[in-house]
Amino acid sequence: MKTLDKKNRSLKDIRISVTDKCNFRCGYCMPKDIYNSSYQFLKKAEILSFEEIELLVNSFSDLGVEKVRLTGGEPLLRKNIHKLVERIKVNNKIKDVCITTNGVLMTKEAVNNLKLSGLDRITFSLDSINESSFKKISDTNYTPSDVIQGIENALSAGFKNTKINVVIKKGINDNEIVDILSYFKNHDIEIRFIEFMDVGNTNDWSFEKVFGRDQILNEIEKKYTINKVKDLAQSSTSEVWSYDYGRFGIISSVTKPFCTNCTRIRLTCDGKLYNCLFSSNGYDIMKFIRPFYMDDKLINFLSNLWKSRDDSYSLDRKKIITVNKVKDKAEMSYIGG
Ligand code: SAM
Ligand code: SF4
Ligand code: SF4
């Protein structure tokens, strides 16, 4: 069933945050002064089980969803995450299942289990290959080598279309754009540079801290010859360029928003739906799940929710920030990116 929102966008993909916990404390996502020992993470009983997520994916697939991205927090902190992938892969309407991870728990055993479960792709996040700058950004004791080992494990297990997300913050890691691209030039990997976004309320975002798409391109052109690759998928969030050794992408939510193609909905690990990454309100769907799963009522609710969707935050950002001043946006680690 094809469902269109108020801006004529169909519902094609879902991002599911499977946990609000993480073993990193990236300042742009979970700054340590807030996410510390006194922070109240969700309790186990509040979190959707694998069975519940499977049922939800099946309902969403009836509304046209074909792509599922598992995220978090750190999705690998969810024990036996491959068993969730196995459940989702049974549904043949779902064409693509992917995980976004910081990579440090991608051991050989974990990637092999994920490969066997049918996971289609892995996207890693790595903002720096320099040890001290990586530590500053992620605020953990892990090192870039731990992430790179996870990436190597995934490639060895036969994963294709592997991507690496690199969030660029002005004055923090903009000097590493070419280094990161060059480091992975002989790997079958697409680097995707992401503009620092104003998700949530805790990351101290401002326009001045954004190192934009054109500046990123400018850096890369100093070293490589680049050519824009025609957009392959209409719903893609990234623009892609070829360079001397392959391809790279840029996700420019701030300087070149892509809301007109936004076909995704977001589900938090405690069963709230968000129509937009920058929404303040999530729609609680637990009442359709517990104590009994009410498929018909849920599908009716989801269909009406999508039909009423009018979001285009990034296109309207300047006005929203200066005039409307949105408060209480959902945090990235909760909504899942
Ligand atoms: N923990 C996993 C990871 O880091 O890959 C998955 C969750 S994380 C929230 C998903 C993605 O969002 C990561 O690639 C991360 O770099 C990105 N992200 C988080 N906060 C961001 C921000 N403020 N601006 C841009 N990207 C952000
Ligand atoms: Fe954790 Fe990912 Fe957020 Fe970093 S970006 S704190 S790794 S959830
Ligand atoms: Fe989609 Fe909202 Fe991002 Fe626009 S701002 S692309 S509507 S999530």
Side-chain angles (χ1 to χ4, degrees):
M1 192 196 334
K2 196 172 170 186
T3 319
L4 295 177
D5 73 4
K6 281 194 169 163
K7 292 195 158 83
N8 243 4
R9 299 167 294 192
S10 47
L11 173 56
K12 287 201 190 130
D13 45 296
I14 185 162
R15 296 191 181 193
I16 305 175
S17 173
V18 294
T19 175
D20 60 338
K21 298 199 175 98
C22 189
N23 45 0
F24 281 25
R25 285 292 179 272
C26 306
Y28 54 66
C29 178
M30 295 180 83
K32 222 180 228 167
D33 51 340
I34 291 162
Y35 295 90
N36 51 34
S37 54
S38 48
Y39 185 83
Q40 285 289 311
F41 288 97
L42 292 164
K43 296 188 183 69
K44 200 169 172 213
E46 294 173 281
I47 288 180
L48 292 166
S49 68
F50 287 175
E51 188 189 356
E52 288 168 336
I53 296 176
E54 177 191 359
L55 289 167
L56 285 169
V57 168
N58 292 342
S59 300
F60 274 103
S61 74
D62 287 343
L63 289 166
V65 165
E66 295 181 339
K67 224 173 127 180
V68 176
R69 179 176 296 269
L70 301 177
T71 172
E74 174 47 46
L76 269 287
L77 287 179
R78 200 65 200 257
K79 203 168 162 218
N80 292 327
I81 186 75
H82 63 280
K83 299 218 161 143
L84 174 60
V85 177
E86 255 166 35
R87 285 171 176 267
I88 296 173
K89 287 298 290 186
V90 171
N91 182 336
N92 57 21
K93 285 191 239 163
I94 300 296
K95 309 282 182 234
D96 189 49
V97 183
C98 172
I99 281 185
T100 305
T101 173
N102 62 34
V104 296
L105 299 177
M106 281 289 185
T107 58
K108 286 197 172 109
E109 189 189 353
V111 290
N112 286 335
N113 283 338
L114 286 167
K115 189 74 191 148
L116 289 172
S117 72
L119 182 73
D120 294 284
R121 294 180 299 120
I122 305 178
T123 297
F124 290 87
S125 302
L126 175 64
D127 299 335
S128 174
I129 50 172
N130 171 288
E131 206 159 306
S132 74
S133 139
F134 177 89
K135 259 196 171 38
K136 266 188 218 142
I137 297 168
S138 59
D139 213 349
T140 57
N141 290 325
Y142 289 103
T143 65
S145 312
D146 296 322
V147 183
I148 292 166
Q149 184 60 59
I151 297 170
E152 298 286 358
N153 291 344
L155 296 179
S156 306
F159 278 102
K160 304 278 177 221
N161 295 320
T162 303
K163 294 183 175 139
I164 301 179
N165 285 348
V166 185
V167 177
I168 300 294
K169 262 182 95 174
K170 194 185 274 175
I172 304 291
N173 60 347
D174 53 334
N175 58 342
E176 280 199 68
I177 292 170
V178 170
D179 293 349
I180 294 174
L181 204 52
S182 303
Y183 185 91
F184 289 102
K185 70 183 182 192
N186 295 322
H187 293 67
D188 185 16
I189 281 177
E190 184 181 304
I191 306 288
R192 297 197 307 182
F193 298 103
I194 305 182
E195 291 179 351
F196 173 39
M197 295 185 280
D198 50 332
V199 187
N201 319 285
T202 60
N203 68 9
D204 200 24
W205 183 91
S206 70
F207 276 112
E208 291 68 43
K209 292 178 185 163
V210 178
F211 197 79
R213 163 195 186 270
D214 293 349
Q215 292 168 293
I216 294 170
L217 289 174
N218 209 13
E219 283 299 305
I220 297 172
E221 277 187 303
K222 287 182 193 164
K223 168 112 182 183
Y224 295 119
T225 306
I226 65 172
N227 284 297
K228 179 90 190 280
V229 175
K230 209 168 168 285
D231 290 341
L232 300 173
Q234 212 215 341
S235 62
S236 173
T237 52
S238 83
E239 293 176 281
V240 178
W241 282 263
S242 66
Y243 76 112
D244 310 43
Y245 295 94
R247 288 178 172 200
F248 68 89
I250 303 185
I251 301 180
S252 46
S253 164
V254 180
T255 67
K256 200 166 179 254
F258 36 82
C259 300
T260 45
N261 302 330
C262 182
T263 56
R264 64 201 59 89
I265 199 158
R266 293 169 160 90
L267 174 66
T268 65
C269 57
D270 61 342
K272 302 219 172 46
L273 278 175
Y274 286 80
N275 278 335
C276 174
L277 186 53
F278 301 91
S279 302
S280 306
N281 296 319
Y283 297 89
D284 195 346
I285 54 169
M286 275 302 194
K287 58 180 177 287
F288 301 110
I289 303 172
R290 294 179 188 173
F292 307 109
Y293 195 78
M294 295 186 276
D295 195 35
D296 289 351
K297 283 195 175 146
L298 176 66
I299 292 208
N300 194 31
F301 174 83
L302 297 177
S303 167
N304 289 331
L305 176 65
W306 191 260
K307 283 182 197 150
S308 67
R309 178 184 189 246
D310 197 21
D311 303 71
S312 55
Y313 177 91
S314 289
L315 282 172
D316 308 330
R317 178 179 277 109
K318 273 209 170 106
K319 192 173 141 220
I320 294 173
I321 287 176
T322 49
V323 182
N324 302 347
K325 304 221 188 299
V326 190
K327 287 184 218 89
D328 301 330
K329 285 176 286 174
E331 293 300 326
M332 187 63 124
S333 55
Y334 175 62
I335 200 169

